[in-house]
Amino acid sequence: MKLILFGPPGAGKGTQAEFLSQTFSIPSISTGAIIRNAIREKTPMGIAAEKYIDEGQLVPDEVVIEIVKERISEDDCKNGYILDGFPRTLNQAVALKNMGEKIDHVIDLEVSDEDLIKRLSGRRECKSCGAPYHIKYNPPKVDGVCDKCGGTLISREDDDPETVRKRLVVYHKQTEPLKEFYKKEGLLRIVKGQEELADTKKEVLKALEVGK
């Protein structure tokens, strides 16, 4: 199964992607996590991407497309994958289609801007492995410590309220047109983000026609 998860910053894409990855035993591919790791490691791509992210802008299409193309060619993607945060523009969507990738479903997680700004203030990420958490919706077993690797949990700089507002403007302008693109392809499944994480999981499975 090949899935795409998209939605505004803070909608819960990372958490749902991890859940679906475990459910279907296919890898979750987060372009955001790959880019943030490159920034931490100060790679040439990371340095180039950092200035865009600091301003709440999207990383240029050509950079992200190459990242995804390389990643989905790896062996662990042979039986499917989940794309979290890609495509984010029509250009990226067309590029993915031109790669010959047959996508099964596209899940659009919808949450209001006001709720997103509130949500993001509680979001945390493992400094070591990048695993996503939320102090209310998806807390770690031990406060401030990653369940997976024991790393320290930190707040992301791009979760600052002013940066979030900029990111939402960019999202609505450049990413929402993807709804129409995938609607025409017959792949779009809209899921309303719920207050409780478990309820959102149920809605996602229902949208994939594998849950009740």
Side-chain angles (χ1 to χ4, degrees):
M1 184 181 285
K2 296 179 181 179
L3 306 175
I4 291 172
L5 271 177
F6 75 85
K13 296 186 297 296
T15 301
Q16 294 303 321
E18 188 174 328
F19 162 64
L20 291 172
S21 175
Q22 294 172 356
T23 301
F24 297 111
S25 299
I26 53 178
S28 170
I29 300 169
S30 168
T31 51
I34 293 171
I35 291 169
R36 288 191 295 275
N37 186 60
I39 290 172
R40 282 195 294 269
E41 294 182 356
K42 302 295 183 183
T43 67
M45 188 270 283
I47 293 169
E50 189 169 22
K51 66 177 182 178
Y52 293 97
I53 293 173
D54 286 346
E55 295 172 0
Q57 301 298 311
L58 294 178
V59 177
D61 285 348
E62 59 270 20
V63 175
V64 183
I65 290 167
E66 273 306 307
I67 289 172
V68 172
K69 188 174 182 179
E70 183 176 316
R71 180 65 184 87
I72 63 177
S73 68
E74 295 180 14
D75 287 345
D76 64 339
C77 292
K78 286 182 178 178
N79 295 323
Y81 50 75
I82 302 152
L83 291 176
D84 165 18
F86 181 92
R88 286 188 174 178
T89 66
L90 285 175
N91 188 37
Q92 291 177 8
V94 172
L96 181 63
K97 188 175 182 179
N98 289 342
M99 290 177 202
E101 294 298 306
K102 186 182 180 302
I103 301 300
D104 295 294
H105 300 289
V106 177
I107 300 293
D108 172 27
L109 290 175
E110 293 195 344
V111 182
S112 72
D113 286 4
E114 184 180 337
D115 285 343
L116 287 170
I117 292 170
K118 291 178 183 177
R119 277 190 185 191
L120 289 173
S121 65
R123 190 157 72 167
R124 301 292 183 268
E125 180 180 84
C126 178
K127 188 176 181 180
S128 300
C129 73
Y133 295 90
H134 193 283
I135 58 175
K136 179 179 179 181
Y137 301 110
N138 185 32
K141 294 175 182 176
V142 178
D143 187 36
V145 180
C146 178
D147 295 345
K148 289 187 172 182
C149 73
T152 302
L153 302 187
I154 59 172
S155 298
R156 283 165 41 180
E157 290 182 11
D158 56 351
D159 285 343
D160 171 77
E162 189 55 39
T163 302
V164 171
R165 290 187 182 93
K166 290 180 180 178
R167 292 170 69 199
L168 288 171
V169 169
V170 172
Y171 172 78
H172 291 308
K173 180 180 178 182
Q174 297 190 27
T175 310
E176 284 199 328
L178 289 172
K179 288 184 185 179
E180 192 61 31
F181 178 86
Y182 284 115
K183 186 177 179 181
K184 288 179 179 177
E185 297 278 316
L187 300 174
L188 185 66
R189 306 286 185 271
I190 294 176
V191 173
K192 297 288 185 181
Q194 306 296 308
E195 181 70 17
E196 296 297 326
L197 179 62
D199 292 335
T200 302
K201 288 179 178 178
K202 289 177 184 176
E203 291 300 312
V204 168
L205 289 177
K206 191 186 296 181
L208 294 174
E209 300 175 350
V210 294
K212 302 297 182 183

